[in-house]
Amino acid sequence: MDLTWTSEQLALHDRLRTEGVAAADWQALADLHVMALPVPREHGGLGHSALSCALALEGLGHGCRDLGLLIAAGAHLWAVALPLMTFGTPEQRRAYLPGLASGRLVGAHAITEADAGSDALALRTVARREAGGYVLTGRKRFVTNAPDADLFLVYATLDSRLGFTGVTAFLVERGQPGVRVETEQRKMGLNSCRWGQVVLDECVVPDRMRLGAEKQGSAVFSTVMAWERTLLLAPLLGAMERQLEECVERARARRQFGRRIGSFQSVANRIVDMRLRLETSRALLRSAAWELDHGPTGGGRRSSSPLPELVKLQVSEAAVATFEDAMQIFGGHGYTEDAGIEERLRDALGTRISSGTSDMQRDVVAAKLGVR
């Protein structure tokens, strides 16, 4: 495994690290070609590897303070553009990838339902076969980007008795008859990462809009999870690094009892733990990204690898702990909105739930290790 940065990777990381992006500015990300990072050049993208994307997004997380915006972009990339790259027909890729890569089209991944959260493939949304296509009926919840999305990746079952083996994936455009988007409840954080419900009421989807083969939905979903759990939280590494820098500066400048607060072991130890979490998270994420690029079939990863779930678990938990420690170091000021720490903490708490809860990641890893 070679994780040495190339000059191109370093330049990409540094460019995104130094770019200021205002809150909720999707167009600014598009102008920086963030949505184009992994998309093949023939479809308007930059064709970067998973590892290059990880390094780029880490830099972006340092330069952009709106984690909600970066999570929204990640959901668009790893849960819509990536499966379209992997499973899409040539016609589907030509029709949608250029728009997704430019940011002109917004993608949303519609799988979660009221009774299908952690058990994501226990779906009630049904795809009824009809001549020339399918009729979709059901309701999806907590769909990231739903209020703004132009293209939904929707999962439905051909027969609920088949369980996960009957799940099929479909591309559904926002303007199609039978598609309705409803506003979801407000969240405690990640406010720029808007979500909503997608209601499918006898929505007719032609055969050409099926993504992959019939009953291949579980394979599509597994691919999404491998990439999303590995790369969705890469920007958090940059945010954690920036928070560490701010805490070091605070520890050097702030004085109490006639001493710099960094001379107190309780403060110094928190900062050391921040660095430890950052380096551990960074190494694990980059290793998982390398594995995505160097799977045994020339791309993707070994299905038994626990690295994506370990990355998701480690980075989300590390971010929460880091921002909690930062609040303690900054004291009363850290609890104010002006410090920005409370917003980062609220955002980080959401990452422990999205793309599978921390407890769910542990269950998946345990199963992959053969202990369950």
Side-chain angles (χ1 to χ4, degrees), residues 26 67 85 233 244 304 309:
W26 182 270
L67 286 174
M85 290 160 49
L233 302 187
L244 173 60
S304 60
E309 288 76 27

Side-chain angles (χ1 to χ4, degrees), residues 184-317:
E184 199 67 80
Q185 304 105 311
R186 292 190 63 186
K187 307 187 297 298
M188 71 178 288
L190 298 172
N191 292 323
S192 296
C193 182
R194 303 208 300 161
W195 63 4
Q197 299 191 39
V198 179
V199 182
L200 303 156
D201 184 7
E202 295 287 296
C203 175
V204 177
V205 179
D207 284 332
R208 60 181 174 80
M209 296 295 280
R210 186 184 66 223
L211 186 65
E214 276 195 356
K215 303 179 184 179
Q216 199 180 16
S218 60
V220 175
F221 181 67
S222 294
T223 299
V224 167
M225 289 297 96
W227 285 78
E228 184 173 271
R229 287 171 176 169
T230 297
L231 294 167
L232 180 67
L233 302 187
L236 270 176
L237 299 180
M240 290 163 64
E241 182 179 26
R242 187 179 66 244
Q243 186 67 81
L244 173 60
E245 293 166 352
E246 291 176 2
C247 287
V248 169
E249 182 179 351
R250 175 78 170 185
R252 289 171 174 168
R254 175 75 169 168
R255 300 184 69 86
Q256 291 288 279
F257 305 100
R259 301 163 55 186
R260 293 183 295 108
I261 64 170
S263 67
F264 293 99
Q265 190 175 42
S266 60
V267 173
N269 283 354
R270 288 183 190 276
I271 291 175
V272 171
D273 287 345
M274 286 183 184
R275 182 60 183 264
L276 178 60
R277 293 187 206 106
L278 174 61
E279 295 297 344
T280 304
S281 300
R282 180 180 277 155
L284 189 58
L285 191 147
R286 292 176 184 176
S287 296
W290 186 94
E291 188 176 86
L292 286 174
D293 291 326
H294 298 87
T297 58
R301 66 177 179 92
R302 293 179 291 275
S303 60
S304 60
S305 171
L307 284 186
E309 288 76 27
L310 289 172
V311 168
K312 171 63 173 54
L313 175 62
Q314 168 65 23
V315 177
S316 61
E317 295 289 347

Side-chain angles (χ1 to χ4, degrees), residues 76 89 98 169 238 269 321-322:
H76 164 97
T89 64
N269 283 354
T322 289

Side-chain angles (χ1 to χ4, degrees), residues 35-66:
M35 290 76 160
L37 285 170
V39 177
R41 292 183 181 277
E42 61 265 31
H43 296 300
L46 300 178
H48 285 301
S49 67
L51 182 57
S52 291
C53 290
L55 301 175
L57 292 172
E58 180 181 335
L60 183 65
H62 190 287
C64 175
R65 294 179 178 269
D66 188 347

